[in-house]
Amino acid sequence: MVGIRALIALLLGIAFLAILPFQAKSADVVRLGAFNYPPFYHEENGKIDGIAVDLVHELFGRMHMKTSLTMYPLTRALKYAKEGRLDGVMILIKTKERASYLEYTAPVMTVRGLIWSKADNGGCGVDFNRLEDLKSYKIGVTLGYSYGQAMDDLLKTMRVEAVASDYLNYKKLLANRIDIFPGNEIVARGLFKQYPEFRGQFVHSNRSFIEWELHMGISKASGLVREINRINLTIADLKAEGVLDRAVKKYTE
């Protein structure tokens, strides 16, 4: 009788140890960095919301993992991810430098870069066949941004005015201080929703000058890299079920 009780206790102990890592893992908090990039991230009165925030909650909620989201300047968020102080950052463009310390998920979404202009040209946007067709225009850019290698090279040959934000560039378009602005389509539509004075004031080119694939970057120093296959499968589910499209519409329409 004693032997049977001892055997049962041993089996229960083994079962407990077998499930313990999963319990500990589910209690871990995934530390994520956010950065000021409406409508993907926006902070007001201490609350962070936006397209990326909704996706983070839905993604990790489905994986039964808790998250902690903190707003930083982008350069600091990337530094913390490099050092392993953050597990990752949602919504990033791949670069060679970042790839040295980040693993990337499958693309979360693809965003068009369009040429925006003031809607006083018969309702037509500035069109082009080649990027060089834009050389005669005065163009606005946002400080610190890359617009892709081809556009960055063209900018060196153009009349360029740089300011601190996309918002200021659209203000300059309205004031006729620049002719065109190469803007992220989702960021533009988020701004137009946020600022009623922008609505109906701008048109864009029919074609894009670039299409950016946006990913989640995961720190190579984080244990979260072991979950990248599960994350990719969940991202695919969010797309297939229309969760991504609904998040974009929520903040842009």
Side-chain angles (χ1 to χ4, degrees), residues 2 10 16 38 49-50 138 160 177 242:
V2 175
L10 177 62
F16 175 78
D49 63 14
K138 180 187 287 187
V160 178
R177 293 175 56 194

Side-chain angles (χ1 to χ4, degrees), residues 112-115 123-128 203-209:
R112 296 190 300 170
L114 302 172
I115 302 298
C124 299
V126 171
D127 230 336
F128 60 96
V203 290
H204 63 74
S205 55
N206 289 328
R207 62 177 297 179
S208 58
F209 66 87

Side-chain angles (χ1 to χ4, degrees), residues 145-157:
Y145 281 28
S146 170
Y147 296 93
Q149 193 60 57
M151 177 62 82
D152 289 349
D153 288 343
L154 180 69
L155 290 173
K156 297 173 185 176
T157 70

Side-chain angles (χ1 to χ4, degrees), residues 139-145 147 151-152 155 160-166 169 172 178 180-182:
I139 190 169
V141 298
T142 300
L143 288 166
Y145 281 28
Y147 296 93
M151 177 62 82
D152 289 349
L155 290 173
V160 178
E161 290 195 8
V163 290
S165 68
D166 286 16
N169 274 301
K172 290 179 72 172
I178 55 174
I180 58 175
F181 172 62

Side-chain angles (χ1 to χ4, degrees), residues 13-229:
I14 291 172
F16 175 78
L17 290 173
I19 65 171
L20 185 59
F22 295 96
Q23 291 176 332
K25 183 177 180 180
S26 66
D28 287 344
V29 175
V30 178
R31 304 156 302 167
L32 298 173
F35 55 99
N36 186 39
Y37 193 41
F40 295 101
Y41 293 108
H42 173 70
E43 184 174 28
E44 188 171 357
N45 299 323
K47 181 183 177 183
I48 306 172
D49 63 14
I51 296 168
V53 179
D54 286 6
L55 293 179
V56 161
H57 291 325
E58 186 70 27
L59 171 66
F60 288 102
R62 291 186 180 206
M63 294 176 64
H64 306 291
M65 301 175 77
K66 299 177 182 178
T67 57
S68 172
L69 195 62
T70 306
M71 186 78 84
Y72 301 102
L74 177 57
T75 52
R76 191 185 307 169
L78 293 173
K79 178 177 182 290
Y80 286 171
K82 185 175 184 178
E83 295 171 350
R85 296 168 64 179
L86 287 175
D87 294 301
V89 182
M90 177 69 83
I91 304 300
L92 290 176
I93 297 169
K94 279 187 178 182
T95 70
K96 184 176 179 180
E97 191 271 334
R98 292 174 185 174
S100 66
Y101 58 88
L102 293 176
E103 295 286 353
Y104 291 98
T105 66
V108 177
M109 66 177 74
T110 300
V111 181
R112 296 190 300 170
L114 302 172
I115 302 298
W116 296 87
S117 55
K118 190 176 176 181
D120 60 359
N121 186 26
C124 299
V126 171
D127 230 336
F128 60 96
N129 293 315
R130 304 175 306 147
L131 285 180
E132 288 74 14
D133 296 339
L134 302 171
K135 286 183 68 171
S136 62
Y137 296 97
K138 180 187 287 187
I139 190 169
V141 298
T142 300
L143 288 166
Y145 281 28
S146 170
Y147 296 93
Q149 193 60 57
M151 177 62 82
D152 289 349
D153 288 343
L154 180 69
L155 290 173
K156 297 173 185 176
T157 70
M158 297 179 67
R159 293 174 294 155
V160 178
E161 290 195 8
V163 290
S165 68
D166 286 16
Y167 167 80
L168 291 175
N169 274 301
Y170 289 109
K171 293 283 284 186
K172 290 179 72 172
L173 278 176
L174 283 180
N176 295 310
R177 293 175 56 194
I178 55 174
D179 302 316
I180 58 175
F181 172 62
N184 177 312
E185 181 178 19
I186 291 181
V187 172
R189 298 198 184 285
L191 285 170
F192 302 162
K193 179 177 181 177
Q194 184 178 0
Y195 298 100
E197 66 269 26
F198 284 170
R199 295 174 193 168
Q201 297 296 318
F202 305 101
V203 290
H204 63 74
S205 55
N206 289 328
R207 62 177 297 179
S208 58
F209 66 87
I210 194 172
E211 293 193 359
W212 289 290
E213 285 190 339
L214 303 179
H215 306 255
M216 179 178 180
I218 300 175
S219 170
K220 290 184 177 181
S222 167
L224 193 62
V225 295
R226 295 191 296 269
E227 302 292 340
I228 198 163
N229 289 334

